[in-house]
Amino acid sequence: MILYDFEYERARSLPEAAAMLARLGPNAKIMGGGTDLLPNMRLALARPTTIIGLSGIRPEAPRLTLDGRLRIDGLTTLAALAHSELVATHLPMLAESAQVVGSHQVREMGTLAGNLCQETRCLQLNQKHDYQFKSPCYKRGGACCYPFPRNRPGTCWSVHMSDIAPALIALNADIETVSGTGGRRLAVEDMFTGDGMHPIGLEPGELIRAIVTPLPPANFGWGYHKSSRRGGFEYGMAVIAIALSLDVSRQVCAAARIVFGAIRERPVRASATEQALVGQRIDDTLVARAVAVAVEEVNPLPHHGFTRSYLIDNIRVYLRRALVRAVERARTQSAAT
Amino acid sequence: MTELSHVGKSFRRKDGPDKVTGRAAYSEDIKLPGTLIGRVLRSPHPHARIARIDATAALALPGVKAVITVDDTKGIRHGFVETPRYPPDQEVLARGRAVYVGEEIAAVAAVDHLTAQRALELIEVEYEPLPAVFDPIEAMKPDAPQIHPSHPKVASEVPYSNIGGRTTAEWGDVEEGFAQADYVREDRFESHLRTHGYLEPHATIAHWENDRLNVWTSSMGTFIKRAKLARTLDLPYSAVRVHKVYVGGTFGGKIDLYSHEYCAARLSMITRRPVRIVASREEIFSAYRHGQPLAMELKTGVKKDGTIVAQQIRVINNSGAFRGSGVVVIFLAWGFTMIPYRIPNLKYEGLSVYTNYPVRAPQRGHGCPQIRFAIESQLDAIAEHLGIDPVTIRLRNAREPWEALPNGDNVHEAGLIDCIRVAAEKSNIGERYGRGRKASGTIRRGIGMGVSGYFGGSLIYPNGSGVIVKMNDDGTATVLTGGIDVGQGSETIICQIVAEELSLDFDDVKVVASDTDATPQDIGAWISGMTYVTGNAARQAAGTARRKMLDLVAARFNVAVETLTVQDKVVFNRHNPPQRMSYRDIVAYSIATQRGDTILGEGFWRTMRDEPTHPSLATTKGRWSENYAFSCQVAEVEVDIETGEAKLLKALTVHDCGFPINPALVKGQIDGQVSMALGHAFLEEIMTKDGFTLNPTWLDYRMPTIHEMAASDDADVITEQYVVGKPYRTKEVGEGLVSGILAAIANAIYDATGVRLTSTPFTPDKILKGLRKLERERRGKN
Amino acid sequence: MLEARSAQAQTAPSIRSRIIELFVNGERYEVVVKPRNSLVEVLREKIGLTGVKHGCEQGACGVCTVLLDDRPVLGCLTLAVECDGKRVRTVEGLAQGDRLSPIQQAFLDQGAVQCGYCTAGMLMSATALLERNPKPSVAEIKKALEGNICRCTGYNAIVAAVQQASGQGVEPVMR
């Protein structure tokens, strides 16, 4: 139950929503499916005075653009994304990442843009504060941090849990935004600040209109894994998304993008790991070396009850398996698997 | 012997149609005009003196109709246990001191949710934090913060602080036993904090009207709620009516009095309007009562053929800030130790220790899953050391039919030996165990066995069940029973028994249940005895009505009762069929000729009919149950040895429940307990820090989803039978079957990996650490 | 940084209620709602359909699942104002008069109902599944029902019920 009154307006288009946001100011928030915003409002973590509902806007179907990219409307539901034939054919990793979000019901309600723009999470944050953790933490505008008491004011280590953002970053996707003053295009990777206090780097009043992804190059392979304790209905312990391509001989790694999600305030590129792979002949030794580099490079925050060392143990195994799978796919170039 | 028509058959649930159509009304669905919304103000400190409470601003808020603190109560205490040794120790609202995060400090009633929330925020409470303690070992130390003085009897026996209760039991001579043993092994096991996870939140609506209190509340027994509410409100029981509602799952977490129930009632008495209080999921996870975490030290001595010679056990319960059911679980851990195996020499000590947490409640098995996990794990380790297989060692120690138990009880037709044999045969564990560790590859499979025993229907208030069967003058019957259906199917079972005894169709029997005004007293759904106790009362009641009808017909036609047969609601003379009367005719005839006797059948039942009371919780002395159930369960697990991730693939449950009254309902209980066991084993954990609950949400308290579903197979070992007109013995099936699977999972993980885990949950982290340790040891050897 | 919780919200101007139109189980309703009212609140309190259950309000148990324009959604995370003009189906709308739908009947036949609290949500998720996929595999059943938690049944009987209702050779075990 949301225990305060707010206004609701319905936008008929994204530019209209942007104009409403500009008019109503910072106390207004847009809402896609509501699966992130409404729980946060119930917990009094968000208190917009007006919600601008976007559910009346019919999203465009995913389509190929004239310059050979895949364009997905930001308001596409996760269920539609997971079941889109176009996405499954060209970007199966994206379809896979949508399919593992939450539950069936959450996927019917939630939007792609909403998944990217979700708030960061932490155990002490995402619960009611009537009597538990009553004094607000830094993220709630207060003066402490419960899981990491030695953190200085303004430092928040809440985690960005999106399952889809790592896949999009690995696929080198961009977002296209719309705002009162126009709009811009930026890499998905660049929309995250890495600051748990303000994790999303969009301007006030700036909305995601679409996600645009290049089609995979030749000899492309992908690997994706969401670590979780149960088979579904969870946020991840860690998310691994790998996009790599091989050279024409299919022996040497031509390019690699490796992204980890649900381990830090933002999805993180494993650049050193990528560099360990690029230009190298791929075999078991290389994979092992890359994993060793990744284990050094990745610096997961302990979160949601998982220790840092356990997360690293988990990543060590699943990164290797996902890499092997990515290479297999690249060698057989069967985009559908 | 005529074949049974209803008992032993899988009839569809009586309440099924209501539940699948949404008609079933649970507590929160009850609508009364003018209902106020109640909320409880809870302590933000694990331990603090309450210096001042000022509700003036809250009361002044428009829409707030009442605010109560402990000063608005009669100061009458209650507790899960209320005996001379363990008198009630809890007040309904905190007096002077808060002893756990979430403790109830005050309550408000307001016209709507927003106003109630605002009112809570306006109550000013001044706290002076006190040192708190969370670990029982720490709490026992002499310089620990004192939550309550140790029990005076215990304080004179042992020098520990914060002891709520102590149980000791001893027979034989353990030191001598260990000296005689060929092999002695000591281990420590820990079972962690986990919770019931019922889908329906606690919900209560109370309405004080015309000097009577009407209550609808989610519970495991309306009569115990009536008693505790009446006493704390200082009302006669007859002034309190606890109505029938459907209940959305309990598992032990909704038995005795909860503060919000009292508050809803008291607020209604003050405002004269209905007051509804529904706990939020965060409240349930952080401030309500969870299962008991036990630390268990086991020392066991055996002969080289695996026969147990001596056992010394110490159990420490992290009790929370009041006694709660803690003093019962330390008794039960003894009980569940001594039921399945012979132990010639035993020394047992159980301590229930106060800590600054919410008080605990029984959780399905109430100590059995924890202690069987410990005993069965150790027994497997002993078997391996001796070179004996897991089946043989269990058969060697398993109790046989008609064995006397050390407490003076008898196991009657105990089917444990057959359970073990059937489980061994069906699972082929003899051939399969020991292989998992030798396999190669990253996925290892293992198989393990767990034995358990359970009791049923012991004496605890309300102690006995009454049932009334009324014949209706159209020939159908209505059963009045205080028994409450919390999902286990009690209403269905009772109707089956009545239909059997009265030769009625299932649809001819209707049930009115669990209403403290309209139905007789009942033992409740938490003591694993309803099928046996309430069922026998129903049998008796139906049998009485049947007898009355047959006697009337016999008298009318001047024949012996034995010549009469019943078919399709017609009683006729087997040798002269035209001598017949339909039920409808009989009832009319009875009213006409028997001064208006409408034909009622009364029945009542109680376990331990010759015993005045339950055994001593402190000394274990005294007869306990006439109704011991046994089981042997086998678990097959799969472990990824690179990640440590493990899952339950398949469970086999072979159980002696006497005989099943409704086999499909029994299967439902087994499947549910397998699910709970795998949750306990792998997934569920209430994470706390400094008295706060870190994961009070479904997302982070991970109960099994449909993805975790394990294949669940079962077999009955039938040891009893049902004969119309005669008392029967069924044994419990709703609680004791978590334990064997939990133990079997632990043993299966060892079988798969060589890692012996001594604490739950069996997380990937622990399995990986265990595997690394084994690897280091292997390298060390080479 | 999230907005600090303020106890001063009540000084804000009072929010006007509005009238929305809902088609629930085939019947048209006009209801007065405030923007903050969830679909669960409106169905239960204003329309009186208490078959939709209230379990956690966190979107994490599934007991509030209803069909919104044929899609399974969580009623606790759906604002009623967003449902203006939409079709809602709840458990009360599954039976045709006295005739239970195949999935309702299958739940009874398989023992897939114990305490019954997850049942309404589970039936709605199962109904949505079978409308799209008349013969789902076990994996598909699991994926469709992964958002509905059950504590009583262990899910075995629920899977069997969906298989029975979809005519996949599972016979009733209760009669």
Side-chain angles (χ1 to χ4, degrees):
Chain A
M1 203 152 297
I2 295 174
L3 293 176
Y4 78 100
D5 273 315
F6 51 88
E7 272 297 359
Y8 172 86
E9 293 188 29
R10 188 162 237 191
R12 287 162 302 183
S13 71
L14 274 188
E16 184 179 29
M20 286 173 172
L21 275 177
R23 169 170 51 90
L24 292 164
N27 285 327
K29 275 201 176 350
I30 48 166
M31 183 172 80
T35 55
D36 193 55
L37 179 62
L38 293 179
N40 282 346
M41 286 171 68
R42 174 179 165 271
L43 300 178
L45 299 180
R47 283 185 77 99
T49 50
T50 306
I51 287 184
I52 299 164
L54 305 178
S55 66
I57 305 172
R58 175 166 272 123
E60 283 180 9
R63 62 182 171 84
L64 286 170
T65 63
L66 290 171
D67 61 345
R69 291 168 200 265
L70 192 56
R71 183 189 177 83
I72 304 166
D73 195 305
L75 292 175
T76 308
T77 65
L78 302 180
L81 184 57
H83 293 119
S84 157
E85 255 194 68
L86 201 62
V87 174
T89 305
H90 293 287
L91 298 172
M93 174 156 69
L94 181 56
E96 169 77 10
S97 72
Q99 183 67 308
V100 299
V101 177
S103 69
H104 188 102
Q105 296 91 317
V106 168
R107 294 190 292 273
E108 286 287 354
M109 300 160 76
T111 64
L112 176 53
N115 186 276
L116 298 180
C117 293
Q118 65 181 268
E119 264 300 349
T120 48
R121 300 181 67 86
C122 128
L123 284 178
Q124 285 88 338
L125 181 70
N126 292 93
Q127 49 170 287
K128 284 210 160 207
H129 300 101
D130 294 324
Y131 53 94
Q132 291 231 118
F133 309 111
K134 212 171 162 185
S135 288
C137 66
Y138 299 138
K139 186 148 174 130
R140 286 166 60 207
C144 64
C145 173
Y146 289 103
F148 306 103
R150 288 200 296 259
N151 269 5
R152 279 198 294 270
T155 303
C156 177
W157 286 350
S158 51
V159 178
H160 198 266
M161 307 299 283
S162 168
D163 298 322
I164 302 181
L168 284 174
I169 295 173
L171 293 168
N172 207 1
D174 288 342
I175 55 168
E176 201 181 274
T177 69
V178 69
S179 72
T181 54
R184 58 178 170 140
R185 183 113 156 207
L186 64 155
V188 173
E189 191 173 358
D190 293 335
M191 68 172 270
F192 298 103
T193 64
D195 175 5
M197 301 282 290
H198 306 98
I200 307 301
L202 298 179
E203 301 299 323
E206 187 177 17
L207 316 168
I208 295 180
R209 185 205 289 277
I211 287 84
V212 184
T213 317
L215 292 184
N219 305 318
F220 173 82
W222 62 275
Y224 180 87
H225 182 79
K226 172 180 177 177
S227 287
S228 64
R229 297 291 292 117
R230 298 179 295 182
F233 213 5
E234 316 212 313
Y235 289 100
M237 289 163 28
V239 175
I240 301 168
I242 301 169
L244 60 76
S245 55
L246 305 177
D247 73 347
V248 324
S249 74
R250 300 202 193 179
Q251 299 304 316
V252 173
C253 176
R257 288 173 73 91
I258 299 177
V259 188
F260 290 106
I263 56 165
R264 292 236 49 120
E265 310 92 314
R266 55 160 293 151
V268 285
R269 289 273 299 278
S271 333
T273 312
E274 293 168 357
Q275 280 159 36
L277 288 167
V278 171
Q280 303 296 323
R281 199 184 165 74
I282 298 203
D283 56 19
D284 288 344
T285 314
L286 181 68
V287 169
R289 184 152 24 103
V291 170
V293 170
V295 163
E296 287 302 306
E297 168 178 39
V298 80
N299 188 15
L301 285 166
H303 70 91
H304 294 95
F306 303 111
T307 63
R308 188 171 176 284
S309 70
Y310 171 61
L311 290 173
I312 291 177
D313 280 340
N314 186 279
I315 287 169
R316 183 185 288 117
V317 177
Y318 283 111
L319 175 63
R320 191 196 83 234
R321 293 180 185 177
L323 265 176
V324 167
R325 198 74 188 86
V327 172
E328 254 170 41
R329 288 188 172 115
R331 286 201 170 124
T332 60
Q333 191 145 32
S334 172
T337 50
Chain B
M1 167 87 77
T2 43
E3 212 205 70
L4 297 171
S5 59
H6 288 77
V7 169
K9 313 257 188 281
S10 294
F11 277 88
R12 282 195 284 266
R13 296 180 70 101
K14 275 285 185 194
D15 56 5
D18 277 352
K19 287 174 173 171
V20 298
T21 56
R23 286 194 298 260
Y26 299 78
S27 296
E28 201 187 347
D29 302 329
I30 305 297
K31 294 201 190 305
L32 300 172
T35 297
L36 297 172
I37 301 301
R39 285 284 305 275
V40 176
L41 180 72
R42 299 183 177 280
S43 165
H45 297 285
H47 199 189
R49 210 167 69 77
I50 300 170
R52 184 178 68 90
I53 306 180
D54 186 347
T56 324
L59 277 163
L61 184 68
V64 173
K65 301 301 181 188
V67 178
I68 55 169
T69 67
V70 74
D71 294 332
D72 299 295
T73 75
K74 298 266 179 151
I76 296 172
R77 293 176 172 198
H78 68 99
F80 185 87
V81 171
E82 298 184 5
T83 63
R85 183 181 166 104
Y86 296 129
D89 61 341
Q90 287 176 250
E91 293 218 46
V92 290
L93 289 168
R95 181 183 295 281
R97 193 166 57 110
V99 286
Y100 56 91
V101 172
E103 186 175 6
E104 299 82 5
I105 307 296
V108 307
V111 293
D112 59 36
H113 290 279
L114 263 62
T115 311
Q117 171 72 25
R118 185 90 178 89
L120 284 191
E121 291 164 12
L122 289 173
I123 300 176
E124 290 170 24
V125 186
E126 207 176 289
Y127 294 101
E128 291 162 13
L130 296 167
V133 62
F134 308 111
D135 175 75
I137 305 296
E138 291 302 311
M140 286 162 67
K141 292 186 177 161
D143 54 350
Q146 183 176 274
I147 302 172
H148 306 288
S150 283
H151 193 285
K153 291 229 169 81
V154 177
S156 61
E157 294 162 2
V158 289
Y160 305 131
S161 303
N162 287 307
I163 302 295
R166 181 171 184 248
T167 297
T168 54
E170 193 168 352
W171 57 75
D173 181 339
V174 288
E175 292 312 322
E176 181 61 29
F178 290 134
Q180 299 293 333
D182 295 318
Y183 174 56
V184 177
R185 202 187 149 101
E186 279 191 68
D187 294 283
R188 185 167 195 278
F189 296 88
E190 278 184 32
S191 176
H192 68 292
L193 183 63
R194 83 275 187 246
T195 194
H196 313 80
Y198 32 79
L199 268 292
E200 184 207 4
H202 279 272
T204 302
I205 182 164
H207 189 198
W208 176 257
E209 193 178 38
N210 299 328
D211 291 335
R212 295 203 77 217
L213 184 69
N214 287 285
V215 180
W216 295 258
T217 189
S218 189
S219 81
M220 298 186 82
T222 47
F223 287 88
I224 190 171
K225 294 288 189 185
R226 178 179 74 167
K228 299 224 188 239
L229 269 172
R231 273 199 277 115
T232 49
L233 291 164
D234 198 20
L235 294 170
Y237 290 12
S238 54
V240 178
R241 178 177 186 181
V242 184
H243 293 251
K244 145 102 188 202
V245 283
Y246 283 82
V247 180
T250 54
F251 313 109
K254 292 178 177 171
I255 299 173
D256 58 325
L257 185 66
Y258 282 82
S259 173
H260 75 269
E261 293 172 315
Y262 174 92
C263 291
R266 187 82 188 98
L267 288 165
S268 183
M269 290 170 82
I270 294 170
T271 61
R272 298 293 204 255
R273 287 169 66 169
V275 176
R276 177 198 291 162
I277 301 186
V278 179
S280 73
R281 196 49 65 174
E282 284 92 350
E283 281 178 295
I284 292 170
F285 275 124
S286 63
Y288 279 70
R289 301 176 192 159
H290 301 319
Q292 279 128 343
L294 299 182
M296 301 160 282
E297 293 158 9
L298 265 63
K299 181 175 174 184
T300 303
V302 297
K303 290 250 171 272
K304 58 175 177 288
D305 71 350
T307 311
I308 296 171
V309 177
Q311 207 161 41
Q312 183 167 314
I313 298 184
R314 189 184 200 224
V315 169
I316 295 180
N317 174 41
N318 183 333
S319 150
F322 293 98
R323 262 196 286 277
S325 55
V327 296
V328 179
V329 79
I330 53 176
F331 161 86
L332 290 175
W334 160 82
F336 300 130
T337 297
M338 70 92 189
I339 296 173
Y341 301 141
R342 276 181 295 279
I343 306 169
N345 302 284
L346 177 81
K347 187 167 182 187
Y348 175 90
E349 181 192 24
L351 290 163
S352 191
V353 185
Y354 297 124
T355 55
N356 288 113
Y357 281 117
V359 68
R360 313 297 189 201
Q363 179 170 348
R364 208 171 198 178
H366 206 182
C368 196
Q370 298 95 312
I371 197 71
R372 292 319 300 173
F373 150 57
I375 289 174
E376 295 293 300
S377 299
Q378 190 186 58
L379 194 65
D380 255 28
I382 290 171
E384 190 178 54
H385 177 89
L386 297 174
I388 302 174
D389 70 84
V391 179
T392 304
I393 197 168
R394 288 175 169 84
L395 285 171
R396 207 146 269 162
N397 291 290
R399 292 207 188 267
E400 301 190 11
W402 297 96
E403 261 188 49
L405 288 172
N407 64 346
D409 287 345
N410 194 290
V411 298
H412 303 111
E413 292 288 356
L416 179 56
I417 302 231
D418 285 339
C419 285
I420 298 172
R421 290 213 175 102
V422 171
E425 192 187 298
K426 277 178 99 62
S427 66
N428 203 15
I429 186 174
E431 291 291 308
R432 297 167 63 190
Y433 92 103
R435 296 225 179 128
R437 270 163 288 163
K438 302 187 186 117
S440 56
T442 55
I443 304 293
R444 303 283 165 85
R445 295 215 169 163
I447 188 167
M449 180 175 267
V451 151
S452 187
Y454 216 81
F455 70 101
S458 296
L459 297 174
I460 182 171
Y461 181 86
N463 292 304
S465 293
V467 174
I468 293 174
V469 169
K470 320 188 295 176
M471 292 310 299
N472 299 313
D473 58 344
D474 66 349
T476 63
T478 302
V479 187
L480 309 180
T481 168
I484 188 165
D485 199 320
V486 298
Q488 84 284 41
S490 58
E491 288 183 15
T492 305
I493 297 289
I494 285 164
C495 287
Q496 283 178 252
I497 291 169
V498 170
E500 188 73 61
E501 294 286 328
L502 278 169
S503 306
L504 286 170
D505 285 342
F506 197 49
D507 288 340
D508 288 329
V509 181
K510 294 287 185 271
V511 62
V512 173
S514 63
D515 180 320
T516 58
D517 269 11
T519 62
Q521 188 161 317
D522 190 86
I523 59 163
W526 71 88
I527 198 65
S528 271
M530 225 193 270
T531 303
Y532 175 59
V533 177
T534 307
N536 264 302
R539 175 198 56 76
Q540 206 177 57
T544 305
R546 178 194 178 92
R547 189 80 205 184
K548 280 188 185 179
M549 291 197 292
L550 292 180
D551 283 350
L552 271 176
V553 179
R556 176 154 184 235
F557 296 123
N558 200 18
V559 295
V561 166
E562 292 69 33
T563 63
L564 297 174
T565 289
V566 184
Q567 196 172 323
D568 292 336
K569 290 183 279 195
V570 174
V571 178
F572 61 92
N573 183 341
R574 253 199 309 283
H575 308 307
N576 186 4
Q579 287 181 327
R580 55 194 283 122
M581 289 179 79
S582 68
Y583 276 10
R584 195 189 286 257
D585 292 340
I586 297 170
V587 176
Y589 181 73
S590 174
I591 291 170
T593 66
Q594 306 299 311
R595 291 176 291 125
D597 186 348
T598 57
I599 308 198
L600 299 173
E602 193 185 281
F604 47 85
W605 201 259
R606 178 190 120 127
T607 58
M608 315 306 290
R609 270 167 306 288
D610 302 322
E611 298 298 314
T613 184
H614 55 76
S616 159
L617 292 176
T619 67
T620 77
K621 300 234 183 313
R623 301 282 308 285
W624 185 20
S625 180
E626 61 203 14
N627 202 344
Y628 287 98
F630 296 90
S631 63
C632 181
Q633 293 170 285
V634 177
E636 297 178 37
V637 305
E638 187 176 90
V639 184
D640 180 331
I641 57 164
E642 286 189 324
T643 63
E645 289 162 326
K647 60 181 171 188
L648 177 67
L649 294 175
K650 187 166 169 195
L652 169 66
T653 298
V654 184
H655 62 104
D656 163 21
C657 69
F659 63 91
I661 297 201
N662 185 319
L665 288 181
V666 170
K667 177 75 163 64
Q669 291 298 296
I670 292 170
D671 292 348
Q673 287 173 87
V674 167
S675 185
M676 229 176 212
L678 83 87
H680 184 156
F682 295 124
L683 297 170
E684 298 174 35
E685 186 174 4
I686 297 278
M687 295 187 271
T688 59
K689 185 162 178 247
D690 299 335
F692 290 86
T693 303
L694 300 181
N695 58 335
T697 78
W698 288 127
L699 289 169
D700 300 299
Y701 182 80
R702 298 181 174 82
M703 291 197 335
T705 67
I706 199 169
H707 291 292
E708 282 64 56
M709 177 182 104
S712 172
D713 214 349
D714 74 303
D716 280 331
V717 164
I718 306 291
T719 58
E720 301 279 348
Q721 60 175 345
Y722 189 96
V723 175
V724 171
K726 299 238 178 324
Y728 63 84
R729 189 192 316 277
T730 48
K731 311 178 193 187
E732 84 87 43
V733 82
E735 275 202 82
L737 301 173
V738 179
S739 333
I741 288 293
L742 180 65
I745 288 172
N747 287 333
I749 291 174
Y750 178 80
D751 189 53
T753 62
V755 176
R756 171 72 57 200
L757 291 174
T758 56
S759 72
T760 56
F762 308 135
T763 59
D765 206 13
K766 286 180 187 169
I767 291 177
L768 281 178
K769 287 198 165 84
L771 286 167
R772 285 189 186 125
K773 183 157 176 267
L774 284 177
E775 186 56 35
R776 280 198 301 274
E777 285 167 5
R778 249 195 302 276
R779 291 216 192 102
K781 285 196 184 119
N782 297 341
Chain C
M1 184 185 82
L2 299 162
E3 292 126 82
R5 188 180 70 167
S6 154
Q8 303 307 314
Q10 278 63 30
T11 58
S14 164
I15 304 291
R16 262 201 8 240
S17 297
R18 53 187 85 185
I19 299 177
I20 63 167
E21 182 186 55
L22 290 176
F23 295 89
V24 185
N25 299 327
E27 302 219 6
R28 182 178 173 278
Y29 294 87
E30 273 188 359
V31 262
V32 175
V33 302
K34 289 234 159 102
R36 69 176 159 81
N37 294 135
S38 72
L39 185 57
V40 169
E41 287 166 47
V42 167
L43 288 168
R44 285 179 56 85
E45 309 292 327
K46 297 194 191 265
I47 296 179
L49 292 168
T50 57
V52 186
K53 294 307 172 202
H54 151 230
C56 72
E57 297 186 324
Q58 301 167 339
C61 72
V63 301
C64 66
T65 305
V66 294
L67 300 187
L68 185 65
D69 287 342
D70 303 323
R71 292 160 36 236
V73 300
L74 298 168
C76 69
L77 295 186
T78 302
L79 294 181
V81 290
E82 296 233 294
C83 303
D84 193 9
K86 289 191 193 272
R87 283 180 301 113
V88 179
R89 274 188 288 159
T90 71
V91 69
E92 289 95 337
L94 290 180
Q96 307 272 35
D98 279 339
R99 217 182 59 218
L100 299 177
S101 71
I103 187 71
Q104 285 173 302
Q105 186 62 48
F107 264 57
L108 296 182
D109 292 343
Q110 293 297 328
V113 182
Q114 288 190 32
C115 83
Y117 208 72
C118 78
T119 300
M122 200 65 85
L123 285 169
M124 301 322 291
S125 287
T127 299
L129 167 68
L130 293 176
E131 284 175 358
R132 290 176 194 181
N133 184 351
K135 298 251 186 250
S137 65
V138 171
E140 287 166 332
I141 294 172
K142 288 185 178 181
K143 199 69 180 148
L145 299 185
E146 68 183 351
N148 292 83
I149 307 278
C150 175
R151 191 53 153 171
C152 295
T153 68
Y155 306 99
N156 306 66
I158 291 174
V159 172
V162 178
Q163 291 175 316
Q164 179 190 316
S166 54
Q168 299 197 66
V170 171
E171 293 300 312
V173 300
M174 296 180 102
R175 58 173 169 97

